[in-house]
Each structure stands twice: as C-alpha cells, then as structure tokens.
Amino acid sequence: YTLSLSATAFFMKYKGMQLTGTYFVNQIIPDNGLPCPADQPKCDVYETWRTINVGKVNIPGLELEWDYKPWRGARLGGGFAYINTSVHDFNSYSDDYQCDVRTELGLPACPAVYNGPDKTLLGRRLANIEGNHLPNTPKYQFNVNFSQEFGLENGYKLIPYVKVNWRDKAYFDLLNSDFAHIGRYQKAYAMTDASVRFEAPEDKWHAELYVRNLTDEHAKTSTDSAFGGFMRAYYVEPRMYGFR
C-alpha cells in the first residue's frame, strides 16, 4: 500500500507578450497632401503584418500528481492543475470581432473607432482586456484513473481500466468573448476513456478492448467566426472504440 505524490507551484511574469497581426509601421504623406477625412482616419498610416511586443501576463499555478495503490492489484492515479493567467498593460487591443453580427443579434456592440492623436492606434476599436485570461488556458483541470488487476489461472491477468479528464471553461481569444451564438469559448466538460486488457503470462501477448470519449462529448479545441457570423470550429475526436 503505497502513495506517491508530487506538487509543483510556480509564478511567472511574462513581459512583452508577443502578438502577430497588422500593426503600425510609419506615417506617410497622402497623395493629395490633405488631412485624412473623419471616416478614413488611417489614410496616412502605413501598416504591415508583423510581430510586436505588448503588455504583460501573470501566470500563477499549481500542479499535483498522485499514484496510489490502495490494495493488492489496484492503482488509483490522477492529477490536478490550477493556472490563473491574467493580461495587464495591454492598451492597444482592438475589438473588431463580428461588429455587424453583434448589432444584428442585440449583443454588446464593438467600441467606437479611435481617431485621436496616437497614430499607432488610429482605426482601432480599443477594448479594455485588463485581467483577461490567455487563450486556451482553463483555470482548473482534473483527471483521475483507476485500474484493478485480477489474477486468473495459469498466470493470466484481466485488467479493467477507466480514466476521466475534466477541463474547465476556456476562451479562444484575448477578448474572452462570452457572446451568445458567436462566442469564442468552450464550456467546462469531461471525457471518459475505458478499456479491458487480457494478459498472457509474463506479458508474452495481450489483447484489449477500448473506448475513447465514452460519452461522445462534442467539445471544441478552437473556434472562430467566418464572414457573416457563421461559426467554425475544431472538435475533440468523437467516441471511438476498437480492439488491439
């Protein structure tokens, strides 16, 4: 009867978070030499696709893992993770996500277009994302697995096994959008795997029946919205079963 337990606590401060997109490079002189009209505030701004450093992120966390043998032939393992990312000092985030669709659906509108003195921000819809989570970083994750070995005649073994993974809600954008119908997030979900293994003496050969994603969860691993508000997403594998 043994218990193995490990714990890791950490705190990281990530300064100069990198983002890739279309960003300000320089100011240019318009061909006509006239000031930019109010409806085209970026007419004298040159932008290009590049990587910039903006803001900072705090990443505190705790990870636990255990492996416990409560009685002969039994094994109970698992893990727990806590990670509470938060974005700070990011004052140039532009929320231009599906502005027309949000208006049509009665959702919170996009911010107004910036037309102030800072040329690097012209045309952006500045949104406050102070304290938001990094994309695809659920605050909590938990998994547990259990197996029991049954000894049979002549040295054969039968080993049923089950594992459950639980993952907290996760966003897929820095805006942490909870919008109905077009929100970029996955709510909390659990997935279960199970198997039954039959082993020959000294494990000369084995056979196994298995099933993955037993409850056939339809959980997203990423999502975005195409033109016109149509959502698209990638999902975890559906329920799969087989024999090895």
Side-chain angles (χ1 to χ4, degrees):
Y1 309 107
T2 60
L3 171 65
S4 174
L5 177 66
S6 64
T8 302
F10 57 88
F11 182 82
M12 294 183 285
K13 293 181 71 69
Y14 179 18
K15 297 181 179 180
M17 177 175 57
Q18 288 188 326
L19 289 179
T20 299
T22 302
Y23 295 105
F24 176 89
V25 175
N26 204 350
Q27 185 177 6
I28 60 176
I29 299 175
D31 292 337
N32 56 17
L34 299 176
C36 291
D39 60 342
Q40 299 180 36
K42 298 170 67 172
C43 80
D44 61 350
V45 168
Y46 174 67
E47 294 182 324
T48 190
W49 186 265
R50 65 193 184 99
T51 299
I52 63 171
N53 296 85
V54 290
K56 60 185 179 183
V57 184
N58 293 338
I59 311 176
L62 174 68
E63 295 180 348
L64 302 174
E65 291 184 353
W66 61 84
D67 184 24
Y68 180 45
K69 298 178 180 178
W71 56 79
R72 183 179 180 87
R75 171 164 284 181
L76 178 66
F80 167 82
Y82 164 82
I83 181 168
N84 190 18
T85 62
S86 56
V87 177
H88 303 281
D89 298 342
F90 189 171
N91 302 317
S92 60
Y93 183 84
S94 181
D95 172 19
D96 52 6
Y97 176 63
Q98 292 294 335
C99 296
D100 292 340
V101 175
R102 283 158 62 174
T103 300
E104 180 182 347
L105 297 178
L107 300 171
C110 292
V113 174
Y114 177 82
N115 194 13
D118 189 341
K119 295 293 184 181
T120 66
L121 301 177
L122 283 176
R124 297 191 174 277
R125 296 178 178 271
L126 301 177
N128 180 12
I129 60 169
E130 181 73 15
N132 283 13
H133 297 288
L134 286 178
N136 214 15
T137 54
K139 190 173 182 179
Y140 299 103
Q141 295 185 75
F142 176 78
N143 72 85
V144 62
N145 62 81
F146 178 77
S147 65
Q148 174 66 57
E149 180 181 295
F150 296 97
L152 306 177
E153 294 183 358
N154 302 321
Y156 288 92
K157 299 176 183 178
L158 188 67
I159 309 173
Y161 169 87
V162 64
K163 179 179 181 179
V164 178
N165 279 307
W166 180 84
R167 182 179 167 97
D168 201 3
K169 180 178 182 179
Y171 296 99
F172 301 126
D173 62 1
L174 283 172
L175 185 62
N176 290 185
S177 53
D178 274 311
F179 303 127
H181 312 298
I182 60 169
R184 292 178 287 188
Y185 67 92
Q186 170 59 49
K187 64 181 181 180
Y189 69 96
M191 289 181 59
T192 303
D193 300 334
S195 65
V196 178
R197 179 183 174 105
F198 183 72
E199 289 186 1
E202 300 179 1
D203 201 17
K204 290 182 178 180
W205 60 266
H206 65 265
E208 184 179 48
L209 290 169
Y210 68 89
V211 58
R212 295 197 295 267
N213 193 1
L214 177 65
T215 56
D216 200 23
E217 292 292 322
H218 293 80
K220 298 183 288 288
T221 58
S222 66
T223 184
D224 207 338
S225 180
F227 177 78
F230 293 99
M231 296 301 295
R232 57 189 177 191
Y234 294 93
Y235 288 82
V236 298
E237 289 184 340
R239 179 168 52 228
M240 301 179 70
Y241 50 87
F243 174 76
R244 299 186 183 94

